[in-house]
Amino acid sequence: LLLVVGCGPSGSASQLLHGKLIMSTGCGNYMLQVTQGTLPSDKINSTWKDPLTGIVYTNVFTVLNRCVLNDTAFHFDAEFSFRVVDTAPDSSQCNIECIWYRPSPPAGNFITDVQKLK
């Protein structure tokens, strides 16, 4: 009989993924395209058509913890690694209030361990 028990932070994290920022609009609206790694189908849109531009994107989701990418290092087309987590990381220093809306993919995730690749 083999029993393996593990402990870790609350909210399970995915494997390390690579992605590209393909939408960065006002009020902290960010859309990521996963370029390396996989997510369960309920956490990603395999295809999504932007109703404003008509462009079809693949393997995308909306970032729910908007302040995690609120940095000039994360510009349109920036590539970075990250993990998807089930619960919101601490964002006590983040206050974005906005009434402006920009359509984005319905799948949304919290991300953590963000590191710029290039």
Side-chain angles (χ1 to χ4, degrees), residues 11-93:
S12 62
S14 73
Q15 79 274 15
L16 191 64
L17 303 168
H18 287 191
K20 181 169 41 171
L21 184 62
I22 56 175
M23 183 190 301
S24 174
T25 61
C27 298
N29 291 313
Y30 299 106
M31 182 174 73
L32 299 185
Q33 181 176 43
V34 176
T35 58
Q36 183 178 325
T38 59
L39 285 172
S41 61
D42 63 328
K43 294 190 173 286
I44 195 164
N45 293 106
S46 58
T47 61
W48 178 73
K49 183 177 181 178
D50 185 335
L52 299 181
T53 65
I55 297 172
V56 176
Y57 296 97
T58 59
N59 300 323
V60 295
F61 67 88
T62 300
V63 176
L64 298 178
N65 50 328
R66 299 182 287 181
C67 288
V68 73
L69 296 177
N70 197 12
D71 183 325
T72 56
F74 298 104
H75 53 82
F76 175 76
D77 225 23
E79 294 183 32
F80 49 93
S81 62
F82 62 94
R83 296 181 193 280
V84 168
V85 293
D86 293 332
T87 57
D90 178 35
S91 59
S92 59
Q93 302 299 319

